[in-house]
Amino acid sequence: MTTDAGYRHGNTVRKNASRRPPRAPGLPPRQRQNAPDVTAGIGRASRLWASLPRELAKAFRPHADAMTAEILREIQLAVPEYARPLEGPFGRTIVRSIQQAVRHCMDNLGNPAAPQEAWIGVFRHLGKVEFSEGRTLDQLQTAYRVGGRVAWRYVASVSQSLGLSTDFLCVGAEAIFAYVDEISALSLQGYAAAQKRAAGTRARQRRQLLELILADPPASPKAIARLAATAGWRLPERVVAVALEPRADQHHREPPSLDSEVLMDLEGPQPCLLADPQLVTAGSLEPALAGWRAVIGPEVKLGDAAMSLRWARRTVDLARRGVIDAPPLARATDHLATLWLLSDEFLVKELIRRCLAPLSGLTDKQRTRLGQTLLAWLQSSGTAPDMADRLGVHPQTVRYRMRQLEELFGERLNDPESRSDLEIALRAAQLLEK
């Protein structure tokens, strides 16, 4: 039996249907370049189409427009999100995609060198469109399955009218559903790429926002509000900054699992966080920041965020140096007196040098003992027994040391302002000697 395609069915089609497509290494250079990327999971459908006789393309091409229209109609009936009028970019994208799918399959019939780039690009782009429209891939995957079923019904009907063999039908069915799998995979790639790009863009915007907020002086409220809206960040009235001690491996660590409203910079030389105080409680931060030394700064207005970070970083520095004893996750507000006392180390060291100058000619051991005794005298009622209890020595030892101090400091021990300076200097000296 001979059809309009000009070839005999039966043994001829059966032979062609079982023929393996040429292997890429044996193709001429031009064909090898256009061969499907099998390693990426794309190409099985094309090989199946290419295994069929080329004459079939002439037989099916007159049906391309009708098949496209039927596929489109069935997709719109099955997927409500695609049932709107096919106008503008959305309509053009959907229609073009269906046309491209049908055209590619027909171009591939009996032709292993059919170009692949166009249809691959179209269906990757569709995945990106779905992400930009705010949808999951569920609707698109449903559309692909519906389109595959419609295409198979249409191909089966035309094949019967042409009197094609069951061998062709088997290969055709396998090719259609392999094609559905492949375009689904391509759209997934496009969706994932768009998702990754959007996440990268959003992350960059939020780092820029963090820089604006923490600038000293801070950027204008309008500029901050504008970038916050672009970055999808809700502006809180009050914030806390969290300073993290830099780590050598911080660029390779997974970012901590924190609320999406927490702004983070873990790439810079001074990593930090910023958020609404309710989002960065010790309970939420401790497990997320395991392996980091971190300090939560004071709660402040948004415009004073740089101040919160300044004192958090100062606390991290003092903890790192051992000046204060702090757990891996600490609060700056637990060390306010120390922070104030050491807020300017140059000045406090000048105060120590001037106030404790009478002790400079002694040995380190003598300076330490007399300094401890003088501080105990300033902080207590001044009786020998009280001071002895505080120092863990005999009262007679205290009396001996006090006579030495009176000789060294003289009338300054009786002046209230001098005593205040001495206490500050002695407390600061003890902290800095840790």
Side-chain angles (χ1 to χ4, degrees):
M1 174 180 173
T2 305
T3 69
D4 295 337
Y7 65 93
R8 183 173 300 279
H9 297 283
N11 293 335
T12 304
V13 174
R14 185 176 296 111
K15 180 180 178 181
N16 287 333
S18 61
R19 186 179 64 220
R20 291 182 179 273
R23 297 178 62 187
L27 292 174
R30 181 170 176 273
Q31 292 183 350
R32 187 181 304 124
Q33 181 179 358
N34 292 329
D37 183 7
V38 180
T39 61
I42 306 300
R44 181 166 174 267
S46 296
R47 293 197 305 274
L48 289 166
W49 291 124
S51 70
L52 295 169
R54 182 63 184 155
E55 293 87 346
L56 287 174
K58 296 178 182 178
F60 277 93
R61 202 173 295 280
H63 301 279
D65 291 342
M67 186 187 302
T68 299
E70 186 171 344
I71 290 173
L72 179 59
R73 183 178 65 83
E74 291 292 333
I75 287 176
Q76 289 190 295
L77 288 174
V79 185
E81 287 81 1
Y82 300 158
R84 52 179 159 158
L86 298 176
E87 301 171 351
F90 170 82
R92 288 195 296 271
T93 299
I94 293 297
V95 172
R96 176 171 169 256
S97 301
I98 298 173
Q99 290 173 336
Q100 180 65 47
V102 172
R103 186 181 303 119
H104 169 71
C105 293
M106 292 186 179
D107 289 345
N108 213 168
L109 277 168
N111 180 18
Q116 307 293 323
E117 292 80 5
W119 73 274
I120 288 176
V122 163
F123 290 102
R124 280 190 180 136
H125 177 68
L126 264 183
K128 297 176 183 178
V129 169
E130 290 300 281
F131 178 82
S132 66
E133 293 281 337
R135 293 189 290 264
T136 67
L137 281 177
D138 293 345
Q139 296 88 350
L140 190 60
Q141 303 285 23
T142 299
Y144 289 160
R145 289 193 295 271
V146 169
R149 289 197 298 268
V150 173
W152 166 236
R153 288 201 305 265
Y154 206 98
V155 167
S157 175
V158 173
S159 298
Q160 289 176 356
S161 69
L162 293 175
L164 299 181
S165 73
T166 55
D167 287 333
F168 165 76
L169 293 176
C170 292
V171 175
E174 189 177 359
I176 287 172
F177 294 110
Y179 192 61
V180 169
D181 289 342
E182 290 174 10
I183 62 178
S184 296
L186 289 169
S187 293
L188 181 60
Q189 291 175 11
Y191 191 95
Q195 197 173 39
K196 183 177 180 180
R197 184 169 59 252
T201 300
R202 176 63 57 89
R204 286 194 299 274
Q205 290 170 341
R206 292 197 167 195
R207 281 197 296 272
Q208 291 171 359
L209 176 61
L210 185 60
E211 290 174 3
L212 284 186
I213 295 173
L214 295 176
D216 191 12
S220 71
K222 287 186 178 179
I224 290 174
R226 189 161 51 245
L227 185 53
T230 302
W233 192 68
R234 178 186 59 82
L235 283 172
E237 292 185 6
R238 299 183 68 79
V239 294
V240 292
V242 181
L244 287 77
E245 183 179 9
R247 295 176 53 107
D249 63 345
Q250 66 189 45
H251 301 288
H252 307 293
R253 292 175 65 89
E254 287 293 322
S257 179
L258 294 170
D259 190 283
S260 61
E261 289 298 301
V262 177
L263 297 181
M264 290 187 280
D265 177 11
L266 302 181
E267 302 296 323
Q270 293 184 299
C272 63
L273 314 173
L274 184 78
D276 186 301
Q278 297 179 351
L279 299 179
V280 287
T281 61
S284 66
L285 285 181
E286 196 161 10
L289 295 179
W292 291 88
R293 181 195 293 276
V295 172
I296 303 173
E299 180 181 328
V300 295
K301 294 180 180 179
L302 180 64
D304 294 327
M307 186 69 69
S308 178
L309 182 60
R310 173 190 169 190
W311 291 113
R313 283 179 172 163
R314 179 60 172 157
T315 308
V316 167
D317 178 58
L318 294 177
R320 178 183 57 79
R321 292 162 52 188
V323 174
I324 60 175
D325 295 324
L329 177 62
R331 288 185 177 275
T333 49
D334 292 338
H335 305 278
L336 291 179
T338 301
L339 289 170
W340 167 78
L341 189 59
L342 302 180
S343 58
D344 191 316
E345 289 194 31
F346 172 79
L347 292 181
V348 82
K349 286 178 180 178
E350 280 295 298
L351 182 67
I352 292 170
R353 186 180 65 81
R354 292 171 64 88
C355 289
L356 303 184
L359 302 177
S360 60
L362 306 178
T363 66
D364 290 343
K365 196 172 193 179
Q366 289 173 325
R367 278 198 303 270
T368 299
R369 287 176 176 175
L370 288 181
Q372 290 172 347
T373 302
L374 180 56
L375 183 59
W377 178 73
L378 292 167
Q379 293 178 335
S380 69
S381 61
T383 66
D386 289 340
M387 294 170 59
D389 287 342
R390 184 185 290 260
L391 295 171
V393 297
H394 194 276
Q396 191 61 32
T397 302
V398 171
R399 294 186 184 97
Y400 172 73
R401 292 179 184 175
M402 285 305 302
R403 284 195 294 271
Q404 288 181 290
L405 289 168
E406 288 170 358
E407 292 176 1
L408 291 168
F409 287 91
E411 287 301 314
R412 278 181 284 185
L413 296 183
N414 297 322
D415 178 59
E417 186 173 343
S418 294
R419 289 201 303 268
S420 176
D421 287 349
L422 280 170
E423 183 175 356
I424 293 172
L426 288 164
R427 291 182 61 189
Q430 283 187 349
L431 288 169
L432 292 175
E433 286 171 2
K434 285 188 176 181

